[in-house]
């Protein structure tokens, strides 16, 4: 098996790495805006709902760079958990588009 990232995955990983290296913040609106501009929040969403239709491997590469940079933001609970659930439930595409663009932050509240 070949576990090497594809050229697109390597470009995504490099872009996230360079962006995070250039930021002083590890959370907050400025960081989210920079990551949204890259399309990071759109990675896990289906392309038909305004996302990039990324694979779990794509998301893993983003999370790897977040770990290296010690990012303290809500990407995991917002984009992955609640976002994936909302996308699977067929919630209004406009909501998912605004989440993918980094304009809206949602979290799953469950007990």
């Amino acid at each position: 098996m070949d576990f090497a990232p594809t050229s697109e995955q390597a470009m995504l990983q490099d872009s996230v790495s360079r962006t995070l290296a250039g930021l002083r913040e590890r959370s907050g609106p400025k960081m989210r805006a920079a990551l949204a501009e890259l399309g990071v929040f759109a990675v896990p969403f289906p392309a038909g709902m305004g996302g990039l239709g990324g694979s779990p491997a794509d998301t893993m590469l983003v999370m790897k760079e977040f770990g290296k940079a010690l990012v303290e933001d809500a990407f995991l609970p917002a984009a992955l958990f609640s976002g994936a659930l909302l996308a699977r439930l067929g919630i209004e595409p406009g909501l998912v588009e605004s989440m993918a663009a980094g304009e809206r932050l949602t979290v799953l509240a469950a007990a």
Side-chain angles (χ1 to χ4, degrees):
M1 285 184 124
D2 183 16
F3 290 106
T6 65
S7 60
E8 291 87 4
Q9 289 172 330
M11 287 186 339
L12 172 65
Q13 187 175 10
D14 184 56
S15 295
V16 172
S17 177
R18 282 186 285 116
T19 299
L20 291 173
L23 293 172
R24 299 181 85 182
E25 299 86 6
R26 293 296 165 234
S27 66
K30 286 183 182 179
M31 189 196 73
R32 273 194 296 281
L35 293 172
E37 191 173 312
L38 279 179
V40 169
F41 296 111
V43 169
F45 294 106
M49 297 186 99
L52 296 178
S55 69
D58 299 330
T59 302
M60 180 215 46
L61 293 172
V62 170
M63 294 302 297
K64 180 180 178 182
E65 295 307 314
F66 278 22
K68 285 181 185 178
L70 301 175
V71 170
E72 302 171 350
D73 207 64
F75 178 77
L76 187 65
L80 293 182
F81 297 154
S82 66
L85 178 62
L86 290 172
R88 282 193 174 90
L89 291 174
I91 301 300
E92 174 191 345
L95 173 63
V96 175
E97 287 175 8
S98 67
M99 291 169 59
E103 299 166 354
R104 185 174 295 195
L105 185 66
T106 62
V107 292
L108 177 64

